[in-house]
Amino acid sequence: MRGRTKRNGSEIPLRFWEDREWGYAHYKELASRYGNQWVVIVNRKAVAASHNLREAEEHARARTGERHVPAIFVERGGHVYALDASH
């Protein structure tokens, strides 16, 4: 388990890391409900989900009052990512 770390001069609380780990531990459940979306977890609960990361984080912050909110992308099904070799 990680302790508090600094990010942009602000401490990230232990709760952030615990919620993030909870999200990955419950990934299958989250995928069945929020497939292919960003899911924000606060206090071991999915509090916001969106196809847009910023939108999910902003909604979660407004809803919970928490500054640091962990978001994970919950993928359902396979995705193929292609790289453009011309760049």
Side-chain angles (χ1 to χ4, degrees):
M1 184 70 59
R2 297 178 189 172
R4 292 175 181 244
T5 57
K6 295 264 185 175
R7 180 177 179 185
N8 298 329
S10 177
E11 285 191 1
I12 298 175
L14 183 59
R15 178 212 37 86
F16 175 96
W17 303 112
E18 291 172 344
D19 285 342
R20 185 173 179 261
E21 288 177 16
W22 182 91
Y24 284 114
H26 292 85
Y27 194 92
K28 187 175 180 179
E29 298 162 43
L30 294 172
S32 68
R33 186 164 183 193
Y34 305 106
N36 301 323
Q37 294 185 64
W38 288 97
V39 178
V40 181
I41 294 124
V42 176
N43 295 323
R44 297 181 178 186
K45 181 179 178 185
V47 296
S50 175
H51 294 285
N52 180 290
L53 173 59
R54 180 175 286 182
E55 184 179 296
E57 289 175 327
E58 288 175 358
H59 185 253
R61 286 184 183 111
R63 187 171 182 195
T64 66
E66 296 288 342
R67 181 175 180 186
H68 298 290
V69 292
I72 60 173
F73 186 74
V74 179
E75 192 170 6
R76 180 172 52 204
H79 288 86
V80 176
Y81 301 96
L83 297 175
D84 184 354
S86 66
H87 287 93

XYZ file of all heavy atoms in Angstrom:
717
model
N 0.848 -1.174 0.000
C 0.000 0.000 0.000
C 0.889 1.230 0.000
O 1.863 1.306 0.721
C -0.879 -0.018 1.240
C -1.872 1.113 1.312
S -3.225 1.064 0.147
C -3.969 -0.491 0.572
N 0.538 2.175 -0.792
C 1.300 3.415 -0.885
C 0.851 4.379 0.208
O -0.286 4.368 0.641
C 1.079 4.076 -2.231
C 1.568 3.244 -3.366
C 1.280 3.942 -4.652
N 1.581 3.004 -5.728
C 1.312 3.210 -6.979
N 0.727 4.303 -7.355
N 1.624 2.332 -7.880
N 1.769 5.226 0.592
C 1.451 6.279 1.546
C 1.092 7.547 0.800
O 0.815 7.532 -0.386
N 1.150 8.628 1.487
C 0.846 9.919 0.867
C 2.001 10.342 -0.030
O 3.149 10.226 0.343
C 0.595 10.965 1.928
C -0.671 10.709 2.699
C -0.819 11.715 3.817
N -2.041 11.423 4.538
C -3.068 12.251 4.589
N -3.027 13.411 3.994
N -4.153 11.929 5.255
N 1.674 10.855 -1.173
C 2.671 11.365 -2.092
C 2.275 12.773 -2.498
O 1.124 13.166 -2.363
C 2.791 10.486 -3.354
O 1.521 10.409 -3.987
C 3.281 9.094 -3.014
N 3.229 13.520 -2.999
C 2.969 14.893 -3.415
C 2.683 14.937 -4.909
O 3.307 14.253 -5.697
C 4.178 15.780 -3.120
C 4.471 15.930 -1.652
C 3.860 17.167 -1.130
C 4.282 17.358 0.321
N 3.829 18.572 0.877
N 1.731 15.757 -5.284
C 1.423 15.999 -6.681
C 1.099 17.480 -6.819
O 0.132 17.951 -6.230
C 0.244 15.152 -7.144
C -0.099 15.387 -8.597
C -1.214 14.481 -9.028
N -1.533 14.756 -10.405
C -2.512 14.207 -11.064
N -3.280 13.335 -10.448
N -2.740 14.501 -12.306
N 1.915 18.171 -7.569
C 1.724 19.611 -7.749
C 1.617 20.335 -6.403
O 0.792 21.219 -6.227
C 0.485 19.904 -8.597
C 0.597 19.326 -9.976
O 1.691 19.224 -10.531
N -0.519 18.937 -10.551
N 2.440 19.922 -5.455
C 2.448 20.577 -4.155
C 1.332 20.164 -3.222
O 1.175 20.711 -2.148
N 0.518 19.213 -3.619
C -0.610 18.790 -2.808
C -0.464 17.303 -2.475
O -0.124 16.506 -3.339
C -1.910 19.013 -3.587
O -3.009 18.562 -2.857
N -0.711 16.956 -1.234
C -0.616 15.555 -0.838
C -1.802 14.756 -1.363
O -2.939 15.211 -1.312
C -0.566 15.429 0.686
C 0.753 15.810 1.274
C 0.851 15.428 2.733
O -0.106 14.844 3.289
O 1.895 15.724 3.313
N -1.491 13.587 -1.866
C -2.549 12.665 -2.301
C -2.844 11.756 -1.110
O -1.958 11.078 -0.610
C -2.115 11.839 -3.518
C -1.827 12.772 -4.697
C -3.183 10.815 -3.877
C -1.277 12.086 -5.923
N -4.083 11.760 -0.634
C -4.406 10.971 0.566
C -4.370 9.469 0.302
O -4.553 9.001 -0.821
C -5.820 11.432 0.922
C -6.387 11.960 -0.342
C -5.237 12.488 -1.146
N -4.142 8.736 1.367
C -4.107 7.279 1.303
C -5.412 6.732 0.717
O -5.415 5.747 -0.012
C -3.853 6.713 2.699
C -3.702 5.206 2.824
C -2.554 4.703 1.967
C -3.479 4.823 4.270
N -6.539 7.391 1.015
C -7.827 6.970 0.490
C -7.807 6.861 -1.033
O -8.404 5.964 -1.609
C -8.928 7.954 0.918
C -10.293 7.599 0.348
C -11.191 8.803 0.071
N -10.563 9.996 -0.435
C -10.325 10.244 -1.740
N -10.595 9.361 -2.658
N -9.784 11.385 -2.107
N -7.118 7.783 -1.711
C -7.010 7.766 -3.167
C -6.475 6.420 -3.647
O -7.047 5.801 -4.539
C -6.079 8.898 -3.624
C -5.801 8.909 -5.102
C -6.532 9.724 -5.942
C -4.787 8.132 -5.640
C -6.266 9.757 -7.306
C -4.513 8.152 -7.002
C -5.264 8.966 -7.837
N -5.361 5.970 -3.046
C -4.735 4.711 -3.461
C -5.621 3.508 -3.106
O -5.714 2.548 -3.872
C -3.348 4.577 -2.840
C -2.473 5.728 -3.205
C -2.001 6.703 -2.365
C -1.996 6.065 -4.510
N -1.256 7.607 -3.075
C -1.229 7.246 -4.389
C -2.135 5.488 -5.775
C -0.603 7.850 -5.471
C -1.513 6.097 -6.861
C -0.764 7.263 -6.710
N -6.276 3.570 -1.962
C -7.174 2.475 -1.569
C -8.364 2.389 -2.524
O -8.764 1.283 -2.917
C -7.648 2.678 -0.128
C -6.549 2.506 0.882
C -6.951 2.898 2.294
O -7.977 3.580 2.476
O -6.212 2.511 3.222
N -8.921 3.531 -2.893
C -10.046 3.532 -3.832
C -9.612 3.023 -5.200
O -10.340 2.283 -5.859
C -10.640 4.935 -3.975
C -11.466 5.346 -2.769
O -11.875 4.456 -1.986
O -11.708 6.556 -2.605
N -8.432 3.403 -5.634
C -7.899 2.935 -6.928
C -7.747 1.408 -6.918
O -8.155 0.727 -7.852
C -6.563 3.620 -7.199
C -5.976 3.318 -8.547
C -4.743 4.201 -8.744
N -4.131 3.934 -10.013
C -3.070 3.142 -10.192
N -2.502 2.567 -9.152
N -2.574 2.955 -11.388
N -7.169 0.890 -5.850
C -7.003 -0.561 -5.731
C -8.357 -1.263 -5.682
O -8.526 -2.335 -6.271
C -6.166 -0.900 -4.498
C -4.706 -0.529 -4.673
C -3.877 -0.801 -3.431
O -4.340 -1.539 -2.539
O -2.760 -0.253 -3.362
N -9.322 -0.665 -4.989
C -10.661 -1.239 -4.923
C -11.261 -1.318 -6.328
O -11.889 -2.308 -6.694
C -11.555 -0.401 -4.011
C -12.930 -0.969 -3.855
C -13.345 -1.844 -2.901
C -14.066 -0.716 -4.702
N -14.670 -2.151 -3.092
C -15.140 -1.483 -4.194
C -14.277 0.057 -5.826
C -16.399 -1.478 -4.783
C -15.523 0.055 -6.409
C -16.573 -0.697 -5.895
N -11.057 -0.278 -7.129
C -11.570 -0.264 -8.489
C -11.022 -1.405 -9.323
O -11.766 -2.086 -10.028
N -9.720 -1.630 -9.223
C -9.125 -2.733 -9.985
C -9.565 -4.092 -9.444
O -9.747 -5.038 -10.204
C -7.607 -2.607 -10.031
C -7.162 -1.533 -10.995
C -6.530 -0.385 -10.549
C -7.408 -1.659 -12.356
C -6.141 0.602 -11.441
C -7.032 -0.674 -13.253
C -6.391 0.450 -12.795
O -6.024 1.432 -13.685
N -9.766 -4.191 -8.139
C -10.233 -5.451 -7.546
C -11.666 -5.774 -7.977
O -12.063 -6.936 -8.015
C -10.140 -5.384 -6.021
N -12.456 -4.746 -8.307
C -13.852 -4.921 -8.705
C -14.054 -4.593 -10.186
O -15.151 -4.248 -10.610
C -14.754 -4.047 -7.828
C -14.786 -4.509 -6.409
N -13.840 -4.135 -5.494
C -15.622 -5.348 -5.765
C -14.103 -4.713 -4.341
N -15.180 -5.460 -4.477
N -12.996 -4.725 -10.950
C -12.990 -4.355 -12.361
C -14.099 -5.055 -13.155
O -14.808 -4.420 -13.935
C -11.621 -4.692 -12.963
C -11.366 -4.082 -14.304
C -10.734 -2.854 -14.414
C -11.725 -4.742 -15.478
C -10.471 -2.286 -15.649
C -11.477 -4.179 -16.709
C -10.847 -2.957 -16.789
O -10.599 -2.398 -18.013
N -14.257 -6.336 -12.944
C -15.262 -7.105 -13.697
C -16.674 -6.562 -13.450
O -17.457 -6.405 -14.385
C -15.176 -8.582 -13.330
C -16.045 -9.469 -14.176
C -15.813 -10.933 -13.848
C -16.696 -11.807 -14.703
N -16.480 -13.232 -14.436
N -16.988 -6.260 -12.211
C -18.297 -5.703 -11.872
C -18.485 -4.325 -12.515
O -19.557 -4.023 -13.050
C -18.444 -5.563 -10.358
C -18.369 -6.869 -9.591
C -18.085 -6.621 -8.114
O -18.704 -5.700 -7.541
O -17.251 -7.344 -7.551
N -17.437 -3.515 -12.448
C -17.506 -2.178 -13.036
C -17.668 -2.262 -14.556
O -18.415 -1.485 -15.145
C -16.256 -1.369 -12.665
C -16.097 -1.036 -11.183
C -14.735 -0.411 -10.920
C -17.219 -0.121 -10.708
N -16.973 -3.212 -15.171
C -17.047 -3.360 -16.627
C -18.448 -3.736 -17.083
O -18.906 -3.298 -18.141
C -16.040 -4.397 -17.112
N -19.142 -4.542 -16.300
C -20.493 -4.940 -16.702
C -21.467 -3.765 -16.644
O -22.453 -3.727 -17.378
C -21.001 -6.091 -15.833
O -21.213 -5.666 -14.509
N -21.167 -2.789 -15.809
C -22.063 -1.636 -15.673
C -21.576 -0.397 -16.421
O -22.381 0.376 -16.930
C -22.214 -1.309 -14.194
C -23.218 -0.226 -13.941
C -23.646 -0.176 -12.509
N -24.670 0.847 -12.373
C -25.089 1.314 -11.240
N -24.600 0.840 -10.117
N -26.015 2.243 -11.193
N -20.262 -0.198 -16.461
C -19.699 1.029 -17.029
C -18.701 0.736 -18.146
O -17.697 1.424 -18.281
C -18.969 1.831 -15.943
C -19.801 2.154 -14.743
C -19.607 1.480 -13.540
C -20.779 3.139 -14.786
C -20.360 1.778 -12.412
C -21.540 3.444 -13.679
C -21.324 2.753 -12.487
O -22.069 3.058 -11.383
N -18.945 -0.286 -18.933
C -17.998 -0.683 -19.966
C -17.576 0.449 -20.886
O -18.389 1.265 -21.314
N -16.266 0.500 -21.164
C -15.664 1.484 -22.062
C -15.868 2.924 -21.611
O -16.054 3.823 -22.420
C -16.157 1.283 -23.492
C -15.839 -0.097 -23.998
O -14.785 -0.648 -23.691
N -16.749 -0.681 -24.739
N -15.819 3.116 -20.294
C -15.950 4.455 -19.730
C -14.883 4.669 -18.658
O -14.339 3.721 -18.102
C -17.318 4.643 -19.084
C -18.475 4.623 -20.044
C -19.756 4.937 -19.332
O -19.933 6.042 -18.816
N -20.661 3.965 -19.276
N -14.638 5.936 -18.358
C -13.817 6.307 -17.213
C -14.712 6.258 -15.985
O -15.797 6.827 -15.993
C -13.252 7.713 -17.385
C -12.183 7.773 -18.421
C -12.322 8.149 -19.721
C -10.813 7.431 -18.240
N -11.117 8.059 -20.364
C -10.166 7.619 -19.476
C -10.063 6.978 -17.155
C -8.810 7.381 -19.651
C -8.711 6.733 -17.332
C -8.100 6.935 -18.563
N -14.263 5.568 -14.962
C -15.035 5.440 -13.730
C -14.217 6.051 -12.591
O -13.032 5.746 -12.434
C -15.353 3.961 -13.416
C -16.105 3.828 -12.099
C -16.140 3.337 -14.556
N -14.848 6.907 -11.824
C -14.196 7.535 -10.678
C -14.738 6.884 -9.409
O -15.951 6.755 -9.234
C -14.452 9.053 -10.654
C -13.753 9.693 -9.461
C -13.990 9.698 -11.954
N -13.809 6.495 -8.542
C -14.170 5.794 -7.318
C -13.790 6.653 -6.117
O -12.666 7.132 -6.024
C -13.461 4.433 -7.239
C -13.975 3.528 -8.351
C -13.675 3.761 -5.902
C -12.928 3.006 -9.224
N -14.732 6.836 -5.214
C -14.475 7.550 -3.962
C -15.130 6.744 -2.844
O -16.303 6.378 -2.943
C -15.025 8.990 -3.990
C -14.833 9.667 -2.635
C -14.356 9.799 -5.093
N -14.362 6.468 -1.812
C -14.831 5.673 -0.674
C -15.392 4.321 -1.118
O -16.473 3.912 -0.695
C -15.850 6.461 0.159
C -15.220 7.665 0.806
O -14.065 7.627 1.241
N -15.950 8.758 0.870
N -14.640 3.683 -2.017
C -14.972 2.335 -2.506
C -16.343 2.275 -3.166
O -17.080 1.298 -3.031
C -14.858 1.326 -1.377
C -13.454 1.234 -0.852
C -13.320 0.241 0.243
N -11.914 0.206 0.650
C -11.427 -0.641 1.502
N -12.195 -1.537 2.054
N -10.154 -0.600 1.820
N -16.659 3.336 -3.899
C -17.926 3.401 -4.607
C -17.715 4.162 -5.913
O -17.047 5.196 -5.928
C -18.964 4.122 -3.745
C -20.322 4.221 -4.366
C -21.278 4.918 -3.428
C -22.636 5.057 -4.100
N -23.563 5.817 -3.276
N -18.303 3.669 -6.993
C -18.256 4.384 -8.263
C -19.194 5.576 -8.148
O -20.395 5.418 -7.961
C -18.680 3.470 -9.406
N -18.630 6.785 -8.223
C -19.432 7.992 -8.032
C -19.678 8.753 -9.327
O -20.529 9.645 -9.371
C -18.810 8.939 -6.989
C -18.786 8.276 -5.615
C -17.429 9.400 -7.407
N -18.930 8.423 -10.385
C -19.121 9.083 -11.675
C -18.534 8.210 -12.766
O -17.570 7.477 -12.544
C -18.447 10.448 -11.690
N -19.134 8.304 -13.953
C -18.627 7.568 -15.115
C -18.955 8.364 -16.368
O -20.007 8.993 -16.463
C -19.266 6.186 -15.191
N -18.013 8.339 -17.297
C -18.211 9.070 -18.547
C -17.214 8.563 -19.583
O -16.174 7.999 -19.239
C -17.992 10.567 -18.330
O -18.075 11.274 -19.554
N -17.523 8.802 -20.845
C -16.576 8.492 -21.921
C -15.467 9.548 -21.957
O -14.452 9.349 -22.604
C -17.294 8.427 -23.266
C -18.256 7.279 -23.335
N -17.853 5.975 -23.499
C -19.600 7.231 -23.239
C -18.906 5.180 -23.507
N -19.982 5.930 -23.342
N -15.654 10.631 -21.234
C -14.701 11.728 -21.179
C -14.095 11.783 -19.777
O -14.819 11.979 -18.785
C -15.419 13.044 -21.509
C -14.508 14.236 -21.470
O -14.058 14.642 -20.405
N -14.257 14.810 -22.634
N -12.770 11.639 -19.683
C -12.101 11.598 -18.385
C -12.331 12.863 -17.580
O -12.699 12.812 -16.404
C -10.599 11.358 -18.577
C -9.724 11.453 -17.325
C -10.165 10.460 -16.273
C -8.265 11.252 -17.703
N -12.128 14.005 -18.192
C -12.278 15.275 -17.468
C -13.699 15.430 -16.925
O -13.909 15.853 -15.790
C -11.930 16.454 -18.369
C -12.079 17.786 -17.638
C -11.618 18.927 -18.471
N -10.159 18.869 -18.505
C -9.405 19.746 -19.123
N -9.946 20.729 -19.789
N -8.099 19.641 -19.083
N -14.671 15.071 -17.730
C -16.068 15.169 -17.304
C -16.336 14.275 -16.096
O -17.003 14.684 -15.142
C -16.979 14.783 -18.470
C -18.446 14.921 -18.202
C -19.268 14.539 -19.421
O -19.158 15.231 -20.450
O -19.995 13.525 -19.338
N -15.829 13.056 -16.123
C -16.028 12.127 -15.008
C -15.383 12.670 -13.738
O -15.992 12.646 -12.659
C -15.459 10.754 -15.349
N -14.154 13.180 -13.855
C -13.460 13.716 -12.680
C -14.175 14.947 -12.124
O -14.346 15.065 -10.909
C -12.019 14.072 -13.041
C -11.144 12.858 -13.286
C -9.761 13.239 -13.766
O -9.609 14.262 -14.479
O -8.822 12.491 -13.433
N -14.591 15.853 -12.991
C -15.277 17.065 -12.531
C -16.594 16.738 -11.851
O -16.935 17.320 -10.823
C -15.494 18.021 -13.707
C -14.210 18.682 -14.175
C -14.386 19.544 -15.415
O -15.515 19.607 -15.961
O -13.390 20.153 -15.836
N -17.341 15.789 -12.413
C -18.611 15.392 -11.806
C -18.368 14.773 -10.428
O -19.085 15.077 -9.461
C -19.349 14.417 -12.729
C -20.705 14.055 -12.227
N -20.980 12.824 -11.689
C -21.862 14.763 -12.161
C -22.246 12.783 -11.310
N -22.800 13.944 -11.586
N -17.349 13.934 -10.326
C -17.045 13.291 -9.052
C -16.611 14.317 -8.007
O -17.025 14.237 -6.848
C -15.953 12.237 -9.240
N -15.791 15.274 -8.402
C -15.357 16.317 -7.460
C -16.539 17.144 -6.965
O -16.638 17.460 -5.779
C -14.309 17.211 -8.117
C -12.964 16.551 -8.248
C -11.906 17.498 -8.807
N -10.667 16.785 -8.973
C -10.137 16.481 -10.164
N -10.724 16.856 -11.284
N -9.001 15.814 -10.218
N -17.426 17.502 -7.894
C -18.605 18.283 -7.516
C -19.513 17.486 -6.588
O -20.097 18.033 -5.650
C -19.370 18.710 -8.766
N -19.618 16.210 -6.840
C -20.514 15.361 -6.063
C -19.971 15.048 -4.668
O -20.737 14.938 -3.707
C -20.752 14.070 -6.828
C -21.771 13.171 -6.235
C -22.095 12.026 -7.153
N -23.124 11.227 -6.552
C -23.445 10.025 -6.945
N -22.836 9.499 -7.988
N -24.382 9.354 -6.346
N -18.640 14.881 -4.572
C -18.051 14.431 -3.302
C -17.303 15.508 -2.535
O -17.056 15.341 -1.341
C -17.066 13.278 -3.556
O -15.946 13.775 -4.316
C -17.727 12.117 -4.267
N -16.882 16.559 -3.218
C -16.074 17.583 -2.568
C -14.613 17.195 -2.424
O -13.821 17.938 -1.857
N -14.243 16.038 -2.936
C -12.855 15.568 -2.858
C -12.038 16.171 -3.991
O -12.513 16.279 -5.120
C -12.792 14.035 -2.967
C -13.456 13.305 -1.836
C -12.674 13.404 -0.532
O -11.468 13.748 -0.562
O -13.266 13.125 0.518
N -10.810 16.551 -3.692
C -9.929 17.112 -4.714
C -9.258 16.025 -5.537
O -9.156 16.110 -6.751
C -8.868 17.984 -4.045
C -7.927 18.613 -5.022
C -6.971 19.551 -4.359
N -6.093 20.131 -5.353
C -5.086 20.897 -5.083
N -4.821 21.211 -3.839
N -4.335 21.371 -6.040
N -8.754 14.997 -4.848
C -8.055 13.895 -5.511
C -9.008 12.714 -5.657
O -9.433 12.127 -4.669
C -6.828 13.479 -4.709
C -5.821 14.575 -4.573
N -5.073 15.016 -5.633
C -5.457 15.328 -3.512
C -4.279 15.986 -5.234
N -4.505 16.197 -3.949
N -9.344 12.406 -6.907
C -10.269 11.309 -7.178
C -9.633 10.366 -8.204
O -9.219 10.797 -9.270
C -11.640 11.819 -7.679
C -12.373 12.558 -6.575
C -11.503 12.708 -8.897
N -9.520 9.082 -7.889
C -8.931 8.157 -8.845
C -9.926 7.762 -9.931
O -11.083 7.452 -9.654
C -8.545 6.951 -7.984
C -9.514 6.981 -6.856
C -9.827 8.442 -6.611
N -9.456 7.797 -11.150
C -10.275 7.386 -12.294
C -9.558 6.244 -13.002
O -8.343 6.288 -13.192
C -10.485 8.549 -13.247
N -10.312 5.230 -13.368
C -9.750 4.134 -14.154
C -10.610 3.946 -15.396
O -11.824 4.153 -15.353
C -9.648 2.815 -13.349
C -11.015 2.334 -12.865
C -8.696 2.966 -12.180
C -10.985 0.953 -12.227
N -9.960 3.587 -16.500
C -10.716 3.287 -17.707
C -11.125 1.834 -17.634
O -10.289 0.942 -17.511
C -9.900 3.548 -18.974
C -10.714 3.370 -20.220
C -11.662 4.319 -20.585
C -10.570 2.236 -21.011
C -12.439 4.161 -21.720
C -11.347 2.073 -22.146
C -12.271 3.035 -22.498
N -12.418 1.589 -17.694
C -12.958 0.246 -17.560
C -13.334 -0.241 -18.956
O -14.330 0.194 -19.528
C -14.176 0.224 -16.612
C -14.731 -1.174 -16.494
C -13.785 0.756 -15.254
N -12.498 -1.098 -19.463
C -12.667 -1.590 -20.828
C -13.541 -2.846 -20.832
O -13.396 -3.720 -19.985
C -11.284 -1.912 -21.401
C -11.265 -2.147 -22.857
C -9.850 -2.222 -23.391
O -8.878 -2.194 -22.616
O -9.716 -2.328 -24.617
N -14.434 -2.888 -21.788
C -15.257 -4.086 -21.964
C -15.092 -4.521 -23.408
O -15.379 -3.775 -24.328
C -16.721 -3.811 -21.661
C -17.575 -5.070 -21.855
C -18.996 -4.922 -21.404
N -19.623 -3.752 -21.971
C -20.663 -3.129 -21.436
N -21.185 -3.570 -20.332
N -21.194 -2.076 -22.012
N -14.624 -5.718 -23.586
C -14.384 -6.202 -24.934
C -13.011 -5.778 -25.414
O -12.294 -5.049 -24.764
N -12.647 -6.261 -26.583
C -11.332 -5.953 -27.122
C -11.326 -4.677 -27.918
O -12.328 -4.278 -28.500
N -10.205 -4.021 -27.907
C -10.009 -2.816 -28.703
C -8.731 -2.995 -29.492
O -7.768 -3.571 -29.011
C -9.894 -1.579 -27.815
C -11.174 -1.177 -27.190
N -11.628 -1.716 -26.011
C -12.134 -0.318 -27.600
C -12.799 -1.180 -25.709
N -13.122 -0.337 -26.658
N -8.724 -2.468 -30.675
C -7.531 -2.505 -31.511
C -7.057 -1.060 -31.658
O -7.807 -0.180 -32.068
C -7.838 -3.098 -32.901
C -6.615 -3.032 -33.782
C -8.344 -4.514 -32.759
N -5.800 -0.851 -31.300
C -5.204 0.475 -31.398
C -4.162 0.433 -32.509
O -3.285 -0.420 -32.516
C -4.551 0.885 -30.081
C -5.535 0.900 -28.928
C -5.669 -0.184 -28.072
C -6.357 2.000 -28.739
C -6.591 -0.158 -27.043
C -7.282 2.036 -27.699
C -7.385 0.957 -26.861
O -8.291 0.967 -25.837
N -4.263 1.357 -33.446
C -3.334 1.384 -34.566
C -2.440 2.609 -34.458
O -2.877 3.691 -34.056
C -4.097 1.424 -35.885
N -1.201 2.423 -34.833
C -0.266 3.524 -34.875
C -0.053 3.919 -36.324
O 0.086 3.066 -37.192
C 1.076 3.123 -34.265
C 1.042 2.741 -32.781
C 2.415 2.255 -32.339
C 0.622 3.931 -31.959
N -0.035 5.199 -36.559
C 0.205 5.705 -37.909
C 1.716 5.747 -38.115
O 2.416 6.551 -37.510
C -0.400 7.092 -38.058
C -0.278 7.629 -39.463
O 0.374 6.990 -40.320
O -0.850 8.706 -39.724
N 2.234 4.872 -38.967
C 3.665 4.755 -39.203
C 4.244 5.920 -39.974
O 5.451 6.080 -40.073
C 3.969 3.448 -39.934
N 3.394 6.795 -40.523
C 3.900 7.898 -41.327
C 4.420 9.056 -40.482
O 5.034 9.967 -40.999
C 2.795 8.414 -42.267
O 1.747 8.987 -41.518
N 4.189 9.024 -39.171
C 4.646 10.131 -38.321
C 5.916 9.810 -37.629
O 6.281 8.912 -37.134
C 3.570 10.480 -37.284
C 2.408 11.179 -37.910
N 1.303 10.488 -38.337
C 2.196 12.472 -38.190
C 0.440 11.354 -38.847
N 0.964 12.572 -38.770
